[in-house]
Amino acid sequence: MIYDMEFETLPREALEAIQLKRLQATLQRAYATVPFYRDRFREFGVTPSDIRCLDDMEKLPFLVKQDLRDNYPFGLFAVPKENVVRIHASSGTTGKPTVVGYTARDIDTWASLMARALTAGGAKRGDIIHNAYGYGLFTGGLGVHYGAEKLGATVIPVSGGNTKRQITIMKDFGPSILTATPSYTLHLAEVAREMGVNFKDLNFRHGIFGAEPWSEAMRRQIEGDLGLSAVDIYGLSEVMGPGVAVECHEAKAGLHIFEDHFIPEIIDPETGKRLPLGEVGELVFTSITKEAFPVIRYRTRDITRLVAEPCICGRTMVRMEKVSGRTDDMLIIRGVNVFPSQIESVLMMISEVEPHYQLEVHREDSLDILTVKVEISQKLFTDEVRGLQNLERMIAKNIKEYLGISAKVRLVEPKSIARSEGKAVRVIDHRRL
């Protein structure tokens, strides 16, 4: 099923005409109302009138997260503050929080895009959606909430935490759609087992999971443990929130980007040059319908590639592959680039370990040492030491063979790695770089 048949199935020529018209209007408005954009454009010797076709976007400067922090809190707003009806912000754990604003029309647009996304993931009018994304300044919970209401579904705004209570609600209320981060979803399944509840006996048909990179192996784990169909959803607060792109449950072969609202590019993260369609690089977005907080060529730091082949679901917009990692999450271990999701893919091949892991990096005598901590199953925890040592060696050997890096592997007891109600903490870097 497709929520917005007219726009989600547009022919390419018609879509690009809409994109150009909306892009030009966004550039004119940002240039006129946001001093940062006006000054930056002048610095690069470009004006909105120089953008006569979509390829001209390469003339425009990039926007990066530090620019948002430098203009904290409201320096990038393109409308008077009295027209801003809602503010969201990042946690700001690595600096000032990034603040984004929404007009009433922005909120309505976001709700419509989330209705599209939920429909692509298998939701429909009349479904009950158990929404375990965090509410508050984080965009996940409210994004799903308003989209579900727009769709005509019933929302349980349970948020994260109180996990045992959530399992009870699932049993009593019978929700059919689950929305959460993939790592918290696995925690829900784990707690359900402890409570004697078989997730497969619950009423769930579909799960729509995002806010952190997750592998195909983790998808198989979630689908196997929970007995539902799992799709990936993508978004980030700076661009809008969840609902920028989503997999369709029919294909699960890349996330459909809603290109009538966001123009994607892939660039070389080192040079900033645009890469041809199909090549892997850093994802860049330009919003073309946002009023309060337009972003122009925003560097997401997410690594992926774009796919233009037709999809069996009938949607015509370009797809992005699942995010494999972030340029700022990437570890460089003795000259080799490694993403947590690559380690995860290796670990998920091994039935004796659980899908809970953490990577620690130390520097010893000028050499980088990667330690992979991974939980073992309860059944294996009581096994003899020799068997566990053999498993550690096997995992280290697989990491070496698949990724070309040497790593220490440390098996830890079940539930010893802290669970997260939001995004999982996968990397602890002890180096002083």
Side-chain angles (χ1 to χ4, degrees), residues 345-354 391 394-396 398:
S345 295
V346 175
L347 296 176
M348 297 290 283
M349 297 176 188
I350 300 165
S351 60
E352 293 90 345
V353 301
E354 296 292 314
L391 180 58
M394 183 184 77
I395 295 171
N398 286 358

Side-chain angles (χ1 to χ4, degrees), residues 373-391:
K373 293 168 55 181
V374 58
E375 291 183 12
I376 56 174
S377 64
Q378 186 67 51
K379 181 178 66 176
L380 207 66
F381 182 59
T382 57
D383 282 5
E384 62 180 29
V385 173
R386 180 175 296 177
L388 298 180
Q389 290 174 336
N390 288 339
L391 180 58

Side-chain angles (χ1 to χ4, degrees), residues 208-429:
I208 302 168
F209 307 117
E212 61 190 17
W214 53 300
S215 64
E216 287 296 332
M218 186 174 282
R219 189 206 302 269
R220 291 191 292 271
Q221 174 95 28
I222 289 173
E223 292 185 334
D225 287 356
L226 277 67
L228 49 69
S229 172
V231 303
D232 195 359
I233 186 170
Y234 177 88
L236 60 169
S237 298
E238 300 92 322
V239 176
M240 182 183 72
V244 174
V246 68
E247 287 181 315
C248 61
H249 69 91
E250 295 92 342
K252 300 178 188 174
L255 293 84
H256 297 271
I257 298 173
F258 297 130
E259 291 184 274
D260 53 332
H261 295 267
F262 313 101
I263 299 177
E265 301 173 83
I266 297 292
I267 64 166
D268 183 317
E270 298 296 327
T271 66
K273 297 294 185 183
R274 185 188 285 184
L275 297 175
L277 194 69
E279 290 198 19
V280 174
E282 181 184 341
L283 181 62
V284 172
F285 272 118
T286 298
S287 66
I288 53 175
T289 55
K290 285 178 66 180
E291 293 182 335
F293 192 81
V295 292
I296 298 168
R297 300 199 83 195
Y298 180 70
R299 295 185 62 162
T300 68
R301 302 297 180 187
D302 290 326
I303 302 297
T304 185
R305 73 183 186 101
L306 301 180
V307 179
E309 286 78 12
C311 182
I312 60 172
C313 72
R315 293 174 178 83
T316 55
M317 296 179 183
V318 72
R319 285 171 285 163
M320 55 180 273
E321 286 190 346
K322 285 172 73 69
V323 171
S324 60
R326 292 176 55 82
T327 58
D328 49 3
D329 277 349
M330 183 179 72
L331 296 170
I332 303 176
I333 307 296
R334 302 189 192 185
V336 179
N337 297 342
V338 184
F339 292 102
S341 58
Q342 293 175 305
I343 300 284
E344 178 184 295
S345 295
V346 175
L347 296 176
M348 297 290 283
M349 297 176 188
I350 300 165
S351 60
E352 293 90 345
V353 301
E354 296 292 314
H356 303 289
Y357 67 95
Q358 206 163 59
L359 312 181
E360 293 190 354
V361 188
H362 296 81
R363 181 158 288 172
E364 298 177 9
D365 299 325
S366 300
L367 292 177
D368 294 329
I369 306 297
L370 172 64
T371 300
V372 179
K373 293 168 55 181
V374 58
E375 291 183 12
I376 56 174
S377 64
Q378 186 67 51
K379 181 178 66 176
L380 207 66
F381 182 59
T382 57
D383 282 5
E384 62 180 29
V385 173
R386 180 175 296 177
L388 298 180
Q389 290 174 336
N390 288 339
L391 180 58
E392 286 180 338
R393 283 193 288 268
M394 183 184 77
I395 295 171
K397 179 173 178 286
N398 286 358
I399 291 173
K400 178 70 172 176
E401 289 180 352
Y402 282 97
L403 304 180
I405 60 168
S406 297
K408 294 180 178 180
V409 175
R410 182 151 64 92
L411 301 178
V412 297
E413 62 184 280
K415 302 178 189 173
S416 61
I417 294 176
R419 304 298 192 256
S420 171
E421 295 170 2
K423 300 181 183 182
V425 177
R426 298 297 193 196
V427 178
I428 300 176
D429 195 337

Side-chain angles (χ1 to χ4, degrees), residues 32-73:
T33 60
V34 183
F36 167 83
Y37 280 125
R38 185 165 55 250
D39 293 344
R40 182 64 64 88
F41 282 21
R42 287 172 176 169
E43 180 184 337
F44 276 73
V46 63
T47 65
S49 59
D50 294 327
I51 310 305
R52 298 184 176 89
C53 65
L54 294 177
D55 285 341
D56 285 341
M57 287 181 66
E58 285 193 89
K59 300 175 182 177
L60 298 170
F62 292 113
L63 179 71
V64 298
K65 180 161 283 192
Q66 189 58 46
D67 295 325
L68 275 61
R69 292 180 174 139
D70 290 344
N71 287 275
Y72 174 89

Side-chain angles (χ1 to χ4, degrees), residues 165-230:
R165 181 167 176 256
Q166 293 209 31
I167 302 302
T168 301
I169 288 172
M170 291 173 181
K171 288 173 59 183
D172 295 346
F173 294 7
S176 46
I177 307 294
L178 175 60
T179 59
T181 64
S183 54
Y184 187 59
T185 297
L186 288 171
H187 182 51
L188 284 166
E190 185 178 56
V191 173
R193 283 193 296 271
E194 293 171 359
M195 296 173 63
V197 175
N198 186 342
F199 233 98
K200 295 179 181 179
D201 293 336
L202 300 176
N203 197 41
F204 289 112
R205 301 189 331 271
H206 297 279
I208 302 168
F209 307 117
E212 61 190 17
W214 53 300
S215 64
E216 287 296 332
M218 186 174 282
R219 189 206 302 269
R220 291 191 292 271
Q221 174 95 28
I222 289 173
E223 292 185 334
D225 287 356
L226 277 67
L228 49 69
S229 172

Side-chain angles (χ1 to χ4, degrees), residues 129-133 135 141 145 154-160 165:
I129 297 178
H130 185 101
N131 185 16
Y133 283 114
Y135 280 66
H145 188 114
T154 300
V155 192
I156 305 173
V158 69
S159 193
R165 181 167 176 256

